[in-house]
Amino acid sequence: RQRILSSIEGIIDPSESGLSDRLSEFWNAWSDVADNPTDTSIRSTLLSKAGALTTALNGADRQLQQMESDIRNEIVGQVDRVNELLDRIASLNQTITKSTNAGTPDFAAADERDNLVRELSGLVGIEVQSNHADGLYIAIGGVFVVQGEHSVGLELNVNKLSITFEGSDTRFDPATGGQLGASIRTVTSDMASIRQRLDDVAAAIVNEVNALHTTGYGLDDSTGLSFFDPTGTTASSISISADVLANPERIAVSAAAGAVGNSDIAREIANLRLEKLISGRTLEEDVVDIVGGLGAEISRAATDAGGYASVLNHLDGMEAGVSAVSVEEEMTRIIELQQAYAATARVLRATETMMETLLAI
C-alpha cells in the first residue's frame, strides 16, 4: 500500500509543475487579463495556462486509470497464485500424512509446505493450525480454505473487485491484510476517493468559471460563450471550449457590450480563487488537502510496514534460534569427531600391539 500510494502522490503532485501550481497560474492569468483587458497576447497566455491546467487534470486521471488497470491485473495474478498455493498445500498435507503414517516421514515435502505457507501469508492474512491426523488447517478471515487434503479457492469478480470463497457467498475482507488486501483497498478506497476529488475540482472550475464567463463580453462583443466545454466536468474530460480556444478576443472580460476597457468579469473570475467552493475550502486549498491527505496515508502505511517488518524479523530470529543450522558450528563439530575417532583408533592400535607382544612371550 505504501508503494502504490507513493506512486499516486508522484502523479498528483510531481516535484515540478504539480496540479496546485497549474491552478495558481490559471488564476494569476485571469488577474493579468483583468489588468490588461485589451491585450490579446495576455489573453493567449491565459488560454495557455488554462490548457496546462486541463492537461494536468487529464493526465493525472489518465495515469490513475492506467495504474488502476495495472493493479487489477496484479490482483488477478495474486488470486490465481493464492489458489495455486492452497491446492498445493492441501496436496502436500496428503503426502506428508501418508508418509508419516507409513513410518517414513517426508521431510522434503514438509519443508516445501512450510515455504508455501510463508508465501501464502504474504499474499493474504492467514491463521494456521496443525492437526496430526490431517496436516495443516488454514483459515482466511475465519473461513477454512485448507482442511487436510481439501482446499477452497477464491473467486474474483474483476469488475467489482470483490472476492468470495468458492461455493459460498461469503466475501473476502480486504482488511484481512496481505498484498491482495492492500491492492484491493488502494483501488476501491484510496484511488477511488482521489479520483472523485479530482473530478469535484474539475467540475467546480468548469461550472463556476462558465457561470461568470457566459454573462460577459469579448472584444468583438460576443457573449453567452463558455470558457470551458460545459460537457466536460470531470478530470478526464475537462477542456477549453471551442468557442474561445482559437479566438482569444472572444474571451469574456467585460461586463458590458462595447466597453472594451472594462474587466469586471475577468476580475470576478480571478476572485474565484478566494471562494470556498468545495467543503469549505478554496480550490487551491482542496488540492493541497488532497496531496496532504495522501502524504499522511503514505506516512501511516510506512509506519505500519516498518512496524510489521520489525515484528517479522524478530519472529524470524526466534525461529532461527530453534530450527536453524549453523554451518560453522557443524563443521567444527565434524572436525572434533574426526580427531576423536583418530585418537580412539590410535589407542586401539596400541592396545592390539601390546596384546600381540604379550602373547608372543
Side-chain angles (χ1 to χ4, degrees):
R1 184 162 180 257
Q2 177 194 2
R3 173 182 61 83
I4 296 172
L5 290 178
S6 296
S7 297
I8 295 174
E9 184 182 40
I11 292 173
I12 303 300
D13 189 43
S15 56
E16 297 180 0
S17 64
L19 181 57
S20 57
D21 293 331
R22 295 305 190 197
L23 186 56
S24 178
E25 291 171 357
F26 174 68
W27 296 131
N28 290 339
W30 275 107
S31 294
D32 292 340
V33 170
D35 292 337
N36 304 274
T38 60
D39 192 327
T40 55
S41 65
I42 293 180
R43 288 168 176 255
S44 296
T45 300
L46 168 60
L47 290 175
S48 174
K49 299 300 182 182
L53 174 60
T54 59
T55 298
L57 285 165
N58 297 160
D61 190 80
R62 182 173 58 255
Q63 291 181 71
L64 289 175
Q65 286 188 57
Q66 182 59 54
M67 181 181 291
E68 180 178 328
S69 177
D70 293 341
I71 297 173
R72 284 178 180 271
N73 290 334
E74 287 183 12
I75 291 172
V76 172
Q78 289 166 352
V79 170
D80 288 343
R81 183 56 180 163
V82 167
N83 289 338
E84 291 174 2
L85 292 172
L86 295 178
D87 287 343
R88 182 58 181 158
I89 291 170
S91 177
L92 288 171
N93 269 343
Q94 184 179 30
T95 300
I96 294 168
T97 300
K98 286 183 177 180
S99 63
T100 301
N101 291 338
T104 55
D106 191 337
F107 297 112
D111 286 342
E112 181 185 354
R113 185 181 64 180
D114 288 344
N115 289 331
L116 295 181
V117 169
R118 177 176 288 253
E119 181 183 351
L120 179 64
S121 71
L123 291 168
V124 289
I126 61 174
E127 297 175 359
V128 183
Q129 300 176 12
S130 179
N131 185 304
H132 294 294
D134 300 319
L136 297 183
Y137 278 40
I138 299 177
I140 299 176
V143 178
F144 281 101
V145 290
V146 173
Q147 292 179 287
E149 62 185 73
H150 303 289
S151 65
V152 175
L154 304 180
E155 296 180 339
L156 171 66
N157 183 318
V158 179
N159 293 328
K160 296 181 179 179
L161 279 189
S162 63
I163 297 175
T164 56
F165 293 92
E166 183 180 2
S168 74
D169 295 328
T170 304
R171 298 185 63 176
F172 167 80
D173 184 1
T176 300
Q179 295 178 26
L180 179 58
S183 297
I184 293 175
R185 285 176 61 196
T186 51
V187 172
T188 59
S189 180
D190 300 312
M191 194 171 291
S193 174
I194 290 171
R195 289 188 65 190
Q196 181 59 57
R197 292 190 66 178
L198 290 179
D199 285 346
D200 292 342
V201 170
I205 293 171
V206 172
N207 294 332
E208 296 297 329
V209 171
N210 280 353
L212 292 171
H213 192 273
T214 53
T215 66
Y217 295 83
L219 288 176
D220 58 356
D221 277 345
S222 57
T223 188
L225 303 179
S226 296
F227 185 83
F228 290 106
D229 183 346
T231 64
T233 57
T234 63
S236 64
S237 62
I238 184 174
S239 63
I240 301 174
S241 169
D243 293 335
V244 300
L245 182 58
N247 303 286
E249 70 279 357
R250 303 183 76 180
I251 296 175
V253 173
S254 173
V260 294
N262 182 278
S263 59
D264 291 346
I265 296 298
R267 204 166 300 282
E268 287 186 50
I269 293 176
N271 287 336
L272 286 174
R273 76 185 308 169
L274 305 176
E275 298 292 330
K276 299 185 182 301
L277 302 176
I278 299 179
S279 302
R281 294 184 293 268
T282 67
L283 292 179
E284 287 174 288
E285 290 172 343
D286 195 61
V287 171
V288 170
D289 187 70
I290 293 173
V291 176
L294 188 55
E297 287 299 318
I298 293 172
S299 178
R300 277 192 285 269
T303 300
D304 289 345
Y308 285 124
S310 297
V311 172
L312 182 60
N313 290 336
H314 177 68
L315 293 175
D316 282 341
M318 293 176 63
E319 180 184 32
V322 175
S323 63
V325 175
S326 171
V327 177
E328 290 80 4
E329 289 180 4
E330 294 304 315
M331 287 297 296
T332 301
R333 180 61 177 160
I334 289 174
I335 294 172
E336 290 176 352
L337 292 174
Q338 286 177 330
Q339 294 297 326
Y341 179 83
T344 301
R346 287 195 296 271
V347 170
L348 292 175
R349 180 60 183 164
T351 302
E352 182 182 10
T353 301
M354 183 182 67
M355 293 300 297
E356 290 176 350
T357 302
L358 289 173
L359 290 173
I361 293 177

